[in-house]
Amino acid sequence: MIRQLTGSERQLAAIMLGLVAVVGVAMAAAGRNDTMGVHGLIVMLFAGALMYPLFSAIGAPEPTEDREASYYDDPIKVGIVLSMIWAVFGMFMGVWVAAQLAWPGLAFDGAWSTFGRLRPTHTSGVIFGFGGNALIATAFHVVQRTSRARLAGQISPWFVLFGYNLFCVLAVSGYLMGVTQSKEYAEAEWYADLWLVVVWVTFFVLYLRTIARRKEPHIYVANWYFMAFIVVVAILHIVNNLALPISWGSAKSYTVWPGVQDAMVQWWYGHNAVAFFLTAGFLGMLYYYLPVRAQRPIFSYRLSILSFWGITFFYMWAGSHHLHYTALPHWVQTLGMTFSVMLLVPSWASAGNALLTLNGAWHRVRDDATLRFMTAAAIFYGLSTFEGSFLAIRPVNALSHYTDWTVGHVHAGALGWVALITFGSLYTLVPSLWKRERMYSATLVEVHFWLAIAGTLIYVFAMWNSGVIQGLMWRTYTGDGALAYSFVDSLVAMYPYYIARTIGGLLFLIGAIIGCYNMWMTVRAVPETVSRQGDLPVAATVPGE
Amino acid sequence: MALNERDPVTGRETTGHIWNGIKELDTPVPRGVLMFLVVTHIWAIGWWFLVPAWPLGSTYTKGLLGVDQRTTVEERVAEARRERASWTAKIETEPYEAVLADPELMETVRQTGNQLFGDNCAACHGRDGRGSAGYPNLTDDDWLWGGTPELIEETVRLGINSTHSGSRIGQMLAFGRDGILDRNQVTNVAAYVYSLSHADYSTDKTAEQIAAGREVFAANCAACHGDDAKGNQDLGAPNLTDDVWVYGGDMQSIVSTIHGGRQGHMPTWDERLTDGEIRTLSLYVHDLGTVQP
Ligand code: HEM
């Protein structure tokens, strides 16, 4: 890690860590009577923990002159490791909250372990911890390989990666202490949000500068998606988190958005977090690792264009479908509904493009579980975008809203699409980055695949059933025009499905743990090889010049 | 144009770009996809004409159907109210005896009450109304504050030890903790109370203690629980001679009750439920207490 940095870069890194530690001290002092003080300590510890590897190698030999002629892979490797750690953490939390819904006693009477605090540790843990680290790692990989250029910075990739993880740690530890803005997927409080702005802008600049260094005449589709992901997430994050802290020493803030505007901004953010974090970024992965693994050309460049611009344009308008039949004016709801339906074909275009790319490689799909991960991901992506457009239709939403159907929909996307495409990509990436011939065990990849599929299907079918039953029970009237069931009755009806969901989630978690083991053993036990068919090297000159 | 490579599987040309080995085919967008795209857009544009859709400065396009979610919901609530009016009016206005005498109407009360009870009362009294430690069973015919629909209505409306200014107040003093009785007196009176519902507890061995307890009771407890310990519904003081207990009838629980006192809290529903709902629930709870064993 440190050996890739020159002496002056090492000094700069030390100064930056020192500054972060000072910020930590300031937070601890200003917030000494508040949960913010605890976060100050965490910031100090985080900076201190990073100083250890830095100072233990500070006198190591400097890199050679030709550093620029190689790809910068160290941050990618660390990103993969962090992603898998967060995967296990976040999915464990998911299984725990799922179990709490079936057996509420599993909160063990702690304040920190109540459902309300654990649920956001699950969502942030999987979306930002697992998904975010995987996105940063693969974005760094894809942009270098498809540009044939090294990342345009030596310290900034580390700053982005560790800075981002500091944000995740502050977010998740805050929820356990009851620190929250109460905005879904944007629960982290103001100082963590400010920090993320700095990190994210650095990410954006780094990405643009790397693209600018590219030695290929054209920018590959995957990079369009990664860029859309980075730019839009920055905009969403800033607008939705505009807030005033009650004091500089307090973790509590109030949003600047009043009433229904707040709801609309929140779900504009929320849905576009789904669109640009959980969709665009992962489509970037799909567009790179699927053709590489299948060894097939992308089915249609034109379909890629249609899909990219359709998704970026239409998604922006769809957020109000989360607020059907609320205080939000009717016309805003209509726009949300109609744009959600117009979004369907562009979404399907990407899923279709991916599946048609496999023509001529279906025998590989049969034999190679890694490619099958990505194939299944494309199918689930198609299914959940269809379902999403369907749920956005107001009368359908009247039945599905506030029920487990939404949760089932989310997880068809989150497990079936986001997690499967990530695992497929990482199984492709790990042997290639660490220069191994193959993964440690193809059988374990196969086992992981079937556990993940079984877990997803059990989860999604359980939630479909329970969601539809809930929705129907809430709207069933007796002959006298009175409600037939109370809310408790519908909870009793959910019980078996909540157990099933817990089992499905557990299978999925076990799969992820097996994946960690397999990756670990690949790095440790499979010998390095030079015969591996590698990447094209960093290009010295522009081709054709 | 340079001649691009042709893909042997599909027979399509590539676009000529290569990124680290990845190529793209120049396949046109399939006709079906374009048609589907057009269909979804026509569907969307159709809605824009029919219902409120686009903002126009301070107003918005109202749509040809002339619908608006606010008026829709108001109309439907009014319609539902009209449909229910046939029986809600009776429950709201007729005296309780008349409703109780009308089997059809009582069937409606059971159905509606079941949902109201589930949503508002089950958290404390249990889904079946059978209660649990600290929360009285409403299905037996043993009442703290009275089991007629009128008295139940008052309990529900005002609450018990609630925030309502007219709340029912039920205070079982902390005789032990507050030093009104000493340790001996507490155990004695507990033995006496225990013997009231456990005839076989009175033996020669316990006779002395029970007698001492009876005296303590007469001096300290009878004012509320009555000389015969059969309780007083005006004060919410329970009958201590039967086998029905709010906080438990074993010796240990009785001693804790006398030592530490008890103040059950039942919220007021005056502002939270409508008159009709409160009356329905009062009939429902009364019915639970009489119909079921
Ligand atoms: C065409 C694309 C999509 C559309 C139109 C869409 C639409 C919807 C709708 C209508 C809801 C229900 C809102 C409610 O009733 O509460 C929803 C919820 C949600 N969807 Fe999607 N969806 C799409 C794709 C996805 C994908 C691919 C994912 C995951 C990777 C996803 C994740 C979520 C999440 C996290 C929620 C939960 C929001 C909540 O907690 O209420 N969606 N989406």
Side-chain angles (χ1 to χ4, degrees), chain A residues 119 127 184-185 267 270-271 274-275 278-279 282 315 318 321-324 339-341 343-344 347 380-381 384-393 397 400-403 406-407 409-415 417-418:
Chain A
R119 188 187 191 272
I127 299 178
E184 202 171 3
Y185 319 125
W267 282 110
H271 198 73
V274 171
L278 295 176
T279 303
F282 291 89
Y315 250 121
H321 68 220
H322 289 261
L323 295 166
H324 281 333
F339 277 91
S340 301
V341 171
L343 178 58
L344 176 60
S347 297
F380 273 108
Y381 174 66
S384 47
T385 48
F386 171 75
E387 191 185 26
S389 299
F390 181 64
L391 292 174
I393 298 172
N397 196 262
S400 75
H401 199 95
Y402 307 121
T403 73
T406 303
V407 182
H409 161 65
V410 171
H411 288 84
L415 305 181
W417 158 238
V418 170

Side-chain angles (χ1 to χ4, degrees), chain B residues 4 25 31 56 67 82 84 103 110 125 136 184 191 200-201 266 281 283:
Chain B
N4 286 324
L25 300 180
R31 279 273 298 279
L56 304 168
V67 294
R82 264 197 311 281
R84 284 200 300 258
R110 281 180 204 118
H125 292 287
N184 256 342
D200 52 352
Y201 186 67
M266 150 94 175
L281 274 171
L283 285 160

Side-chain angles (χ1 to χ4, degrees), chain A residues 19-32:
Chain A
L19 284 176
V20 172
V22 169
V23 171
V25 174
M27 282 171 69
R32 62 193 170 283

Side-chain angles (χ1 to χ4, degrees), chain B residues 128-197:
Chain B
D128 52 6
R130 286 177 190 276
S132 58
Y135 301 100
N137 184 341
L138 304 177
T139 65
D140 54 19
D141 206 9
D142 186 272
W143 301 94
L144 296 166
W145 298 92
T148 65
E150 289 82 0
L151 285 172
I152 293 179
E153 180 183 335
E154 201 175 324
T155 304
V156 174
R157 214 177 264 292
L158 306 177
I160 301 164
N161 300 324
S162 76
T163 51
H164 194 285
S165 58
S167 169
R168 291 187 182 285
I169 309 280
Q171 299 287 342
M172 166 67 200
L173 308 177
F175 286 93
R177 202 180 53 224
D178 292 350
I180 309 170
L181 300 177
D182 64 27
R183 185 185 279 264
N184 256 342
Q185 288 171 308
V186 171
T187 32
N188 291 348
V189 75
Y192 169 68
V193 170
Y194 187 75
S195 72
L196 293 174
S197 49

Side-chain angles (χ1 to χ4, degrees), chain B residues 75-133:
Chain B
E75 280 163 19
R76 293 180 66 174
V77 168
E79 190 187 308
R81 205 168 274 145
R82 264 197 311 281
E83 272 175 19
R84 284 200 300 258
S86 58
W87 54 271
T88 49
K90 281 190 204 155
I91 290 179
E92 274 163 34
T93 52
E94 286 185 12
Y96 281 126
E97 300 83 78
V99 183
L100 285 169
D102 181 341
E104 212 178 302
L105 202 49
M106 278 309 289
E107 204 36 56
T108 307
V109 164
R110 281 180 204 118
Q111 281 189 356
T112 320
N114 184 43
Q115 176 262 325
L116 284 174
F117 192 86
D119 279 341
N120 297 292
C121 323
C124 293
H125 292 287
R127 184 66 190 97
D128 52 6
R130 286 177 190 276
S132 58

